Amino acid sequence: MRKGCFHGIIFFLFTAITGFAQQPVFRTFSFKEGLNTYGIFKTQQDIYGFIWIATQDGMYRFNGNSFEGLKESNVPGYSLAGNFFLDFCLSPENQIFAADFNKGVDIINPSNLGVKKLNFKTVNGNTGQLPNLWLQKVYIDKYKTLWLGANNFLAYKRHDEPNYTILNNLPGYTGNINVIFIKPLVDDLIAVGIGGYGILLFNARTLEMKKMVLKPGLADTHFNLEIKDIYLDKDTLFAISNHEIIKGVFKNSQWQYITGHSFKQFNSLVVNCLVRDQKKNFWIGTNSGLISLDIYSDKYDLYRVNISKKRWIQDNTINHLMIDRENNLWISTSKVLQMIPLAENGLRYFSGDDNKSDHMDHIFSIIPKNETELFTTGTDGLYLTNLNSGLTKKIQGSSSLGLIHYLEKVNNDFWIVSSDRGMFGYTASNSKLSQKLLLSLHPEWAPYKTNFFNASYIVGNTSYWASEEQEGLIKWNIQKHTIEQFKAGTRRSGGLPENHLHNIKADNEGFLWLLSDNTLAKFDTQIDSVVEIIKDIRKDTSNDPGFFFDMYDDRERYWFGSYGGGLNSYNKKNKTWSRITEKDGLCNNSIYGILPENDSILWVSTNRGISRINYFTKLSSNYYYEDGLQDNSFDEKGSLKVGKKLYFGGINGFTEIDIDKIKNTSSAFPVYIYKLEYYGNGKKKNINKLYWDKLSFPSGTNTIVIHMAALTYSRNHKIKFSYTLEGLQSDYIDIGDDNSFTLNALSYGNYKVLIRYRNENGTYEENTLQLNLTIFSKWYQTLLFKLLLFLISAGFIYAFYRYRIAQIKKQHKIRKNIATDLHDDLGSTLNSVKVFTNLAISGVKQEESLQQIKDNLTEATMSLRDMIWVLDDSLDTVDELITRLKQFAIPVAAASNIEACITAASDVNSRQLIKEEKRNLFLICKEAINNSVKYSDASQIDVTITASGKKIQIVVADNGKGFNADEIKKGYGLKNIQYRAGQIKYKVALASSPDKGTQIIILPS
């Protein structure tokens, strides 16, 4: 390219280009989007795909959906030294070296956000390692040499060297050392730009320094061309100043100048940065806006702040430019961070937001005027748009008509305009717009001059108009100047089921379809009558279709767009319906316009974007405002196909889709789980990682929040995540736009989380991410504790079982003893009764025998009562024992003129006795009392019961003649007493002496 070819094209800097190309769509990230600061100084993409941003209030990491800020804090391991960062770079180990102004360098691990501080020492300003810490530039090369540009010096140091080499003056140069950039070149060369001086070249291996002479003829020592930035493309270097771009190549580490392109038109602009995109176009950041430059076609544009334009540059002071791996341009400015997707996507919007066009508020219909111009009707007028220049102008006088519903071409110069104020005529040649004009040429419209119609369809010399005023269908014969009306409920109904018509569309057989609120009517223009009516196409109750807005015939099926019911398909052969909705990936269920791309692809406009649908696979690719649509909201009748271009209108204008430029494939991008938050026991903790092994959480963790990132910055808004818990959920659950979800009410145990995402073309990338989570149990939830609890419970049950068996055995023994007693006592007594009865009957000692019978029966009755008392559960207390002893002892003693006294201490009356204890104690006392009555010659018998630990002690004492306990033989009675006491773990002590009575003491053994 010849030298100086940029001259004379300043016109392109300040005016629109002649060939209207795809506009740059500026996406803005600031406070509203979570970047909570002004002063954006630099952006760079790390190896994982995240965008890092250096600001005046910390370092930020951006994942396409949300920002994470790193600042000076009190969090150990995550706190930066300061918050004011002018520059940062990626090290060979993929760490981020961030230069804080006046605080030093922080080293950030981008995979887990861990922070280490690089320590510096400064003594008295200049005798330490660095003169000061006013750091402005930082770079670390592949030899781990750290380069620092600061206030009035350049410093560099190998990682294993103790001190920095300080460069604070240059030969023949008296100015301050102001480092503008530090960038790598080919062959281990490092370029350092010095303001007012030029470029220093360093050999990164040897650290040898020399000055780089960019342009022949310039003095080596007084190089006044101030280079603001450089860009290296393989071995070709471009260097830019405020006045010129210099191009050259490196060969064998030697710089060879090729050409210089001067542009005096930039004299008033201060250049700050330079970058080149994949199409070899340059982007130049200045203090007065952004320049797009094509050095091969000699065209460039200046983008400056324009408050009338949306999605436009928001700040003219540009500090840094960066192009990421998806070919997105990132613009760091003093106020905001912005991004432009540079990849062409076939979308182009028209909204009239530039300072030469009229703004379009809400477009309803799009009608072609000629090959390069389109009419559009809207809420506040009729517009004409030039597709080449992008210029939109409102037709004079149309704003007074209110909402313009429709426009129909009668001939090349005359058009009929339908508006809220009625029907009007418009001549394009002289821009006349009036109702009088219409009625002068077509007086047949007089009866309908105050009506409005929202759509029409021309068949030969006849046009049919649809009414939304409950007026049905109007048939206008243009040549015969006649109008005929078809209206439901009248004699001339034409078979119309409804009079509120949204649209008229034709199928491939020439029939018209009248789209209404509740019905679809097929109209035959040969007989002017409806020949088929479809009233109900509902497939479910969740999204009932209604208010039908558009129709398309693909020869096999009809497609109907409905409000709320998605895209409905009617098969002509089998008369069956099918539906494509949001569940299939459609961006919204309210369908306004349907346009075909080919035999399998349909485009539909909706209430939330535009969908490109493959109706065989039901896969949808969705497009939104962020992709370059004029807005996400569209409207009925606002669709038009011209050749291979589609047009859809709605809020804020209309959008053009170039079918040939639409990309149908999706490129790969990184997807991560980048953060977990978990809550338990009243505390919240974060884990920042990109690669996850099995995770364990402490006991009490009940909530885990999982954050995902799809690192595609031009398509992030199209990526939709969903998740499931393996073994616990059968379906995937969709995740909201914040790309995070919460697992609540978690218990201890293991969980496997599977995460997938729906790509921009509607396909699912299955099991893209997964997490294995373990929540530890509390001590009382552990298996060991449960086993111990089981064993203890089993022990208790077994002990209780053994106790019950013992009790049963005791009961059985008591019953056995009672049976024995019954057999021995009652049996022998009754046998005696029998003997004495026989004697009485025979007359032998009859009186004596009868007395003996009486005594035996009395004894048997008493024994039987004793046994019944023993078996009665309600009488198992000491108090009842005393009562029973009194019932026995007092009569027996009284018969022998002996006084019996039975007492108990007050604290033992209510004590419980087991049956065997109760029985044996009673029998022992009974035996002792009997012995006293029979042998003691006593006048007093005392039975005293007191407490002895948990049991009782019984003393049976008499005041009889006594005996010498050492000399007397133990008879059967005493042995029996001792035997019975031993059975219930008691013992018997005998105390007696002549003339001093006898004591039998029964006490626990």
Side-chain angles (χ1 to χ4, degrees):
M1 183 177 291
R2 62 183 177 84
K3 180 180 177 181
C5 64
F6 291 166
H7 288 278
I9 57 173
I10 187 61
F11 173 77
F12 291 101
L13 285 173
F14 305 105
T15 62
I17 60 174
T18 302
F20 189 77
Q22 176 175 308
Q23 315 99 312
V25 177
F26 290 79
R27 298 187 189 175
T28 301
F29 308 102
S30 188
F31 289 85
K32 181 180 178 182
E33 291 76 23
L35 182 60
N36 301 319
T37 181
Y38 298 109
I40 314 301
F41 295 108
K42 184 177 181 180
T43 57
Q44 192 167 352
Q45 191 170 25
D46 66 22
I47 61 163
Y48 305 108
F50 291 91
I51 301 296
W52 286 83
I53 307 106
T55 79
Q56 68 177 18
D57 190 26
M59 293 288 296
Y60 285 81
R61 185 176 76 169
F62 184 48
N63 59 39
N65 190 63
S66 60
F67 290 87
E68 294 172 280
L70 277 73
K71 299 183 181 182
E72 184 178 7
S73 69
N74 58 0
V75 181
Y78 294 95
S79 174
L80 301 182
N83 290 326
F84 200 108
F85 292 89
L86 294 175
D87 193 23
F88 69 97
C89 68
L90 288 174
S91 74
E93 290 81 15
N94 302 311
Q95 295 175 313
I96 292 174
F97 280 63
D100 180 273
F101 193 64
N102 199 32
K103 291 291 182 68
V105 175
D106 289 302
I107 305 173
I108 304 171
N109 185 334
S111 67
N112 61 18
L113 304 187
V115 178
K116 293 189 299 183
K117 181 173 173 53
L118 193 62
N119 293 319
F120 296 95
K121 294 180 181 180
T122 59
V123 181
N124 297 326
N126 57 9
T127 59
Q129 293 191 34
L130 293 178
N132 58 66
L133 292 179
W134 300 95
L135 304 181
Q136 301 174 37
K137 299 295 175 184
V138 61
Y139 178 71
I140 184 166
D141 62 30
K142 66 181 182 180
Y143 297 103
K144 298 183 181 180
T145 301
L146 181 64
W147 301 78
L148 299 172
N151 185 30
N152 291 331
F153 69 89
L154 170 70
Y156 52 91
K157 181 182 81 70
R158 300 278 195 204
H159 71 285
D160 55 354
E161 293 179 351
N163 295 313
Y164 286 86
T165 299
I166 308 297
L167 184 66
N168 51 20
N169 59 75
L170 294 169
Y173 180 68
T174 59
N176 292 331
I177 304 297
N178 178 27
V179 178
I180 299 177
F181 58 82
I182 307 173
K183 291 189 174 183
L185 299 176
V186 298
D187 300 329
D188 293 335
L189 295 176
I190 305 294
V192 180
I194 307 295
Y197 180 79
I199 298 177
L200 293 176
L201 281 184
F202 288 83
N203 187 304
R205 285 181 288 107
T206 65
L207 296 181
E208 179 185 359
M209 179 188 75
K210 66 178 179 179
K211 184 175 180 180
M212 182 178 182
V213 179
L214 283 171
K215 191 174 180 180
L218 293 176
D220 289 347
T221 57
H222 294 89
F223 181 42
N224 295 319
L225 182 63
E226 183 169 338
I227 300 301
K228 295 302 187 73
D229 202 2
I230 60 175
Y231 181 83
L232 184 69
D233 185 358
K234 297 180 181 178
D235 61 351
T236 302
L237 181 72
F238 297 88
I240 189 170
S241 72
N242 287 338
H243 314 287
E244 186 176 13
I245 291 182
I246 295 173
K247 178 182 178 182
V249 295
F250 282 96
K251 290 186 177 180
N252 300 321
S253 300
Q254 298 296 317
W255 163 259
Q256 296 182 11
Y257 170 81
I258 296 178
T259 186
H261 306 281
S262 63
F263 33 83
K264 295 181 180 179
Q265 297 86 352
F266 285 177
N267 283 346
S268 61
L269 303 180
V270 177
V271 172
N272 293 325
C273 46
L274 174 72
V275 75
R276 201 178 194 189
D277 64 26
Q278 294 178 3
K279 289 187 176 181
K280 306 302 182 181
N281 293 323
F282 282 104
W283 295 86
I284 304 168
T286 77
N287 280 356
S288 300
L290 176 68
I291 298 170
S292 173
L293 170 64
D294 183 350
I295 62 174
Y296 300 109
S297 64
D298 294 345
K299 292 180 181 178
Y300 46 95
D301 300 292
L302 176 63
Y303 301 97
R304 308 185 70 173
V305 173
N306 185 336
I307 59 174
S308 67
K309 300 188 74 171
K310 298 179 180 178
R311 291 182 288 187
W312 200 246
I313 190 168
Q314 299 295 309
D315 184 21
N316 289 330
T317 304
I318 299 171
N319 298 318
H320 182 261
L321 297 172
M322 186 269 293
I323 293 178
D324 66 20
R325 292 192 280 273
E326 286 188 311
N327 198 27
N328 301 309
L329 174 66
W330 294 84
I331 309 164
S332 302
T333 79
S334 295
K335 294 182 180 179
V336 295
L337 174 67
Q338 292 191 283
M339 183 198 80
I340 303 175
L342 299 179
E344 193 171 44
N345 64 0
L347 302 180
R348 178 179 164 204
Y349 70 90
F350 299 83
S351 59
D353 283 337
D354 61 87
N355 53 8
K356 292 189 177 182
S357 293
D358 294 324
H359 173 72
M360 290 178 279
D361 179 58
H362 190 155
I363 296 303
F364 285 93
S365 301
I366 305 174
I367 302 96
K369 179 184 179 185
N370 51 47
E371 293 180 355
T372 59
E373 293 178 301
L374 292 178
F375 280 118
T376 53
T377 71
T379 53
D380 60 349
L382 176 65
Y383 299 90
L384 182 63
T385 299
N386 186 299
L387 298 176
N388 287 334
S389 67
L391 192 66
T392 295
K393 288 296 182 181
K394 185 184 293 186
I395 301 301
Q396 187 176 1
S398 64
S399 58
S400 64
L401 303 183
L403 191 155
I404 308 293
H405 293 273
Y406 199 72
L407 184 74
E408 183 180 278
K409 179 179 180 180
V410 179
N411 55 52
N412 287 335
D413 191 44
F414 184 70
W415 303 72
I416 292 183
V417 179
S418 175
S419 73
D420 275 350
R421 290 189 56 192
M423 307 298 290
F424 288 75
Y426 171 69
T427 52
S429 58
N430 56 14
S431 295
K432 279 190 176 183
L433 178 63
S434 72
Q435 195 168 80
K436 183 178 179 181
L437 177 63
L438 171 64
L439 297 180
S440 65
L441 295 175
H442 298 281
E444 64 273 18
W445 277 100
Y448 304 99
K449 65 180 181 180
T450 59
N451 295 113
F452 68 83
F453 300 88
N454 56 292
S456 72
Y457 194 87
I458 299 175
V459 181
N461 294 321
T462 302
S463 66
Y464 292 85
W465 292 72
S467 168
E468 282 191 318
E469 289 185 296
Q470 299 291 338
E471 295 297 325
L473 185 68
I474 299 295
K475 176 184 178 181
W476 176 37
N477 190 302
I478 302 171
Q479 289 186 338
K480 295 180 179 180
H481 294 277
T482 59
I483 290 181
E484 187 177 1
Q485 184 178 20
F486 303 96
K487 190 173 183 180
T490 68
R491 295 181 62 185
R492 189 67 170 125
S493 67
L496 266 65
E498 295 183 64
N499 289 321
H500 189 267
L501 307 182
H502 292 286
N503 209 342
I504 306 175
K505 302 295 286 191
D507 63 20
N508 288 317
E509 299 175 64
F511 293 101
L512 299 185
W513 284 86
L514 310 181
L515 311 181
S516 305
D517 288 351
N518 301 301
T519 58
L520 302 164
K522 185 177 181 181
F523 188 85
D524 189 343
T525 59
Q526 299 296 317
I527 59 175
D528 281 339
S529 179
V530 171
V531 295
E532 182 180 358
I533 297 174
I534 302 175
K535 293 183 178 180
D536 193 352
I537 66 171
R538 286 181 290 185
K539 300 285 286 184
D540 55 59
T541 58
S542 59
N543 291 303
D544 295 341
F547 306 127
F548 300 101
F549 293 137
D550 204 358
M551 188 278 287
Y552 172 69
D553 180 5
D554 70 4
R555 300 188 185 279
E556 291 185 10
R557 61 190 70 80
Y558 298 120
W559 294 92
F560 296 99
S562 66
Y563 190 84
L567 185 62
N568 300 275
S569 167
Y570 181 70
N571 190 293
K572 296 180 181 181
K573 289 184 179 180
N574 55 31
K575 310 296 183 182
T576 58
W577 288 94
S578 63
R579 179 184 297 183
I580 299 175
T581 67
E582 290 178 18
K583 293 181 179 179
D584 303 301
L586 195 66
C587 55
N588 190 258
N589 283 333
S590 295
I591 307 297
Y592 293 116
I594 307 172
L595 293 176
E597 177 180 321
N598 53 40
D599 292 339
S600 61
I601 303 296
L602 292 179
W603 289 79
V604 297
S605 61
T606 77
N607 251 349
R608 191 179 177 271
I610 292 176
S611 291
R612 180 180 182 268
I613 306 168
N614 184 317
Y615 52 78
F616 290 113
T617 64
K618 284 192 174 184
L619 294 178
S620 297
S621 299
N622 299 325
Y623 299 85
Y624 302 96
Y625 177 82
E626 294 86 348
D627 300 304
L629 306 184
Q630 93 288 343
D631 197 274
N632 279 334
S633 296
F634 292 83
D635 220 316
E636 50 187 304
K637 303 179 302 298
S639 58
L640 173 70
K641 182 175 183 180
V642 180
K644 291 192 175 183
K645 294 190 176 175
L646 311 177
Y647 297 89
F648 291 100
I651 302 296
N652 293 322
F654 66 95
T655 294
E656 176 189 87
I657 300 173
D658 190 332
I659 295 175
D660 287 339
K661 294 181 180 179
I662 292 292
K663 293 183 178 180
N664 300 328
T665 57
S666 299
S667 57
F669 49 83
V671 179
Y672 297 104
I673 297 170
Y674 67 92
K675 182 170 68 173
L676 290 185
E677 300 170 279
Y678 64 95
Y679 300 78
N681 300 321
K683 295 181 180 179
K684 171 188 173 184
K685 292 187 178 181
N686 292 341
I687 306 175
N688 296 290
K689 288 177 68 175
L690 298 181
Y691 301 101
W692 304 83
D693 300 321
K694 185 175 182 179
L695 281 171
S696 297
F697 297 89
S699 62
T701 300
N702 50 34
T703 300
I704 299 176
V705 184
I706 301 174
H707 298 263
M708 289 81 61
L711 300 187
T712 169
Y713 299 95
S714 60
R715 299 169 285 160
N716 189 277
H717 57 287
K718 300 181 181 183
I719 308 304
K720 303 299 179 185
F721 286 95
S722 55
Y723 78 96
T724 189
L725 293 177
E726 189 175 68
L728 297 177
Q729 296 169 341
S730 57
D731 297 324
Y732 277 81
I733 300 173
D734 290 335
I735 297 170
D737 291 338
D738 63 349
N739 290 347
S740 68
F741 64 94
T742 302
L743 301 177
N744 278 317
L746 297 175
S747 181
Y748 66 93
N750 298 315
Y751 300 88
K752 186 173 184 179
V753 185
L754 302 179
I755 300 172
R756 68 179 185 180
Y757 68 88
R758 190 173 66 206
N759 217 325
E760 61 176 323
N761 61 11
T763 60
Y764 280 100
E765 302 294 333
E766 299 288 348
N767 299 333
T768 307
L769 302 168
Q770 69 178 39
L771 276 176
N772 293 297
L773 310 176
T774 297
I775 300 177
F776 289 132
S777 57
K778 293 183 179 295
W779 63 269
Y780 55 81
Q781 296 171 326
T782 62
L783 181 61
L784 180 61
F785 175 80
K786 290 180 178 179
L787 180 60
L788 181 62
L789 186 62
F790 171 76
L791 292 176
I792 292 173
S793 299
F796 275 118
I797 293 172
Y798 180 73
F800 180 74
Y801 167 76
R802 296 300 302 170
Y803 171 77
R804 287 297 299 156
I805 293 298
Q807 290 298 104
I808 292 171
K809 286 182 177 179
K810 286 181 181 180
Q811 295 287 349
H812 179 70
K813 187 176 181 181
I814 291 171
R815 291 187 180 96
K816 184 178 180 181
N817 290 337
I818 290 172
T820 302
D821 291 343
L822 285 171
H823 180 269
D824 294 344
D825 294 343
L826 288 181
S828 62
T829 300
L830 292 175
N831 189 57
S832 297
V833 169
K834 180 180 177 184
V835 171
F836 286 118
T837 300
N838 289 330
L839 289 175
I841 292 171
S842 64
V844 179
K845 298 181 181 180
Q846 188 176 36
E847 184 177 346
E848 183 181 347
S849 296
L850 290 174
Q851 182 62 43
Q852 190 65 44
I853 291 169
K854 179 182 177 182
D855 292 341
N856 285 342
L857 289 176
T858 300
E859 184 180 350
T861 301
M862 291 179 65
S863 296
L864 186 60
R865 286 176 179 173
D866 290 343
M867 292 174 188
I868 293 172
W869 173 76
V870 168
L871 294 174
D872 192 341
D873 291 336
S874 64
L875 305 176
D876 292 346
T877 64
V878 172
D879 191 52
E880 293 297 335
L881 175 63
I882 293 170
T883 300
R884 189 63 186 161
L885 285 173
K886 286 179 178 180
Q887 290 174 352
F888 161 74
I890 292 174
V892 170
S896 300
N897 296 317
I898 301 173
E899 182 181 355
C901 181
I902 303 172
T903 60
S906 60
D907 59 340
V908 298
N909 281 332
S910 59
R911 288 199 180 186
Q912 293 287 324
L913 300 172
I914 63 174
K915 279 189 169 34
E916 189 175 10
E917 185 180 18
K918 166 183 162 182
R919 173 178 176 272
N920 283 5
L921 289 175
F922 174 70
L923 293 176
I924 291 171
C925 291
K926 186 178 178 180
E927 183 78 20
I929 292 170
N930 274 330
N931 286 340
S932 293
V933 171
K934 289 179 181 180
Y935 308 117
S936 68
D937 295 332
S939 62
Q940 180 76 30
I941 299 175
D942 293 314
V943 180
T944 306
I945 304 176
T946 58
S948 179
K950 293 184 179 180
K951 293 189 176 183
I952 61 174
Q953 175 179 298
I954 302 175
V955 178
V956 180
D958 63 58
N959 60 356
K961 59 185 179 180
F963 58 88
N964 189 334
D966 294 330
E967 295 179 358
I968 194 169
K969 281 187 175 183
K970 293 182 180 179
Y972 179 78
L974 187 57
K975 288 181 179 180
N976 191 38
I977 287 174
Q978 290 176 335
Y979 172 73
R980 289 188 183 277
Q983 282 186 322
I984 56 174
K985 291 184 172 52
Y986 276 76
K987 62 185 178 179
V988 177
L990 178 65
S992 182
S993 61
D995 300 325
K996 291 184 178 180
T998 302
Q999 283 187 339
I1000 297 177
I1001 304 166
I1002 306 108
L1003 69 163
S1005 57

